[in-house]
Amino acid sequence: NRQLKKTSLEIPKTEVNLMYGQYNSIVKDNNLTVLESIPFPTVFGARTAMANWQIKASEAKKIVTENELVFRIKETGYQLLYIQERSQLLKQQDSLFAALGKVATKKYQAGEGTKLEMTKALAQQNETRNLLNQNLAERKIYESKLQALLNSAEPVSSLVLSAFCARTQSSCFSRVTSSSHWFGSTIFRLIFKP
C-alpha cells in the first residue's frame, strides 16, 4: 500500500496518434496528434488522502491479525495445559480404579463380594481408560493446531508445552519468528507482565 501512495501523484501517460492516408483530399495526408490529460489539482490531494487511509487501514488490519494469532496461540497453549492436567488426574483415577478392581475381584473370588461390585469397579476402570484415550486424541488435535498456528514444519513437542507450563503465571505469550532455530523456525518468547 505504500507503493500506492507514490502513484497518487502520477500524471496519465501522453498519447501520440499518427494517421496517414487519404482521408481529407486526394493527396495522402499526415496527421500527428499529441494528447496530454492533466487532472484537476484537487484529484492529486484526494488520491494522496485515499492512499494514506489505505495505508492506515492495512496497518490496523495487520495489528488485528497479529493480535488474533497471539490470542489463538495462547488459547491453544492453555487448552493443551488443561488437557495435560486432566490427563494427570485421569491417570491417578485409573490407578485408583485399577486397585479397586483388584480388591473387588479378590473379594469376589474369596466369596466376600458380589459380582455386581466387581463389574462396577472394572467398568469404572474401563471408563477412565476410555477418557484417557479420548484425552490423548484431543491432545494430538491441539498439538497439530498449535503447529499450524506457529507455521512450523516440526511437530510441537512436549518440551514446548513444558516451556509454556513453566511460565503459565505470565499473562502474555507471544510468538516471534526468527532465522535462528529453536524447535524449528519458530521461537517462543514468554514475556512476564506483573
Side-chain angles (χ1 to χ4, degrees):
N1 279 339
R2 293 197 186 277
Q3 298 299 326
L4 284 176
K5 189 172 182 180
K6 294 177 184 176
T7 63
S8 65
L9 299 175
E10 217 172 69
I11 296 175
K13 294 182 179 180
T14 304
E15 292 182 36
V16 178
N17 293 321
L18 173 64
M19 292 189 337
Y20 176 75
Q22 271 185 315
Y23 61 88
N24 204 13
S25 65
I26 298 177
V27 185
K28 296 200 182 224
D29 296 320
N30 293 325
N31 183 5
L32 180 63
T33 307
V34 178
L35 182 65
E36 179 69 50
S37 59
I38 299 174
F40 198 68
T42 57
V43 171
F44 296 120
R47 284 184 187 166
T48 302
M50 185 176 80
N52 286 336
W53 281 109
Q54 286 178 335
I55 290 169
K56 287 179 183 177
S58 65
E59 288 172 351
K61 186 177 179 182
K62 179 186 173 211
I63 290 170
V64 167
T65 304
E66 287 174 353
N67 288 340
E68 183 180 329
L69 180 63
V70 168
F71 171 77
R72 290 178 65 196
I73 290 171
K74 279 173 77 172
E75 179 183 42
T76 305
Y78 285 122
Q79 189 65 33
L80 280 168
L81 286 176
Y82 169 74
I83 290 170
Q84 183 176 349
E85 291 300 315
R86 185 172 61 185
S87 178
Q88 294 298 324
L89 291 173
L90 286 172
K91 285 177 184 175
Q92 291 173 357
Q93 189 176 358
D94 181 53
S95 64
L96 289 174
F97 282 133
L100 183 65
K102 285 180 185 178
V103 169
T105 303
K106 287 183 181 181
K107 280 176 67 175
Y108 176 72
Q109 289 171 348
E112 295 178 9
T114 63
K115 185 164 183 129
L116 179 64
E117 183 181 7
M118 180 185 74
T119 306
K120 183 179 177 184
L122 293 175
Q124 286 174 328
Q125 182 181 5
N126 287 335
E127 182 182 345
T128 304
R129 288 188 178 155
N130 285 338
L131 287 173
L132 269 169
N133 289 334
Q134 182 181 356
N135 203 51
L136 180 64
E138 282 183 37
R139 181 182 175 134
K140 288 179 182 179
I141 289 169
Y142 278 99
E143 284 176 349
S144 297
K145 184 178 177 181
L146 186 59
Q147 179 182 353
L149 287 171
L150 295 172
N151 196 21
S152 175
E154 296 180 28
V156 176
S157 68
S158 59
L159 294 175
V160 172
L161 188 58
S162 298
F164 185 74
C165 292
R167 300 200 170 80
T168 53
Q169 290 79 17
S170 103
S171 62
C172 182
F173 172 72
S174 64
R175 173 187 167 272
V176 178
T177 305
S178 174
S179 59
S180 56
H181 294 286
W182 185 73
F183 299 111
S185 62
T186 306
I187 298 175
F188 289 100
R189 183 174 58 198
L190 300 164
I191 303 167
F192 290 95
K193 288 188 177 177

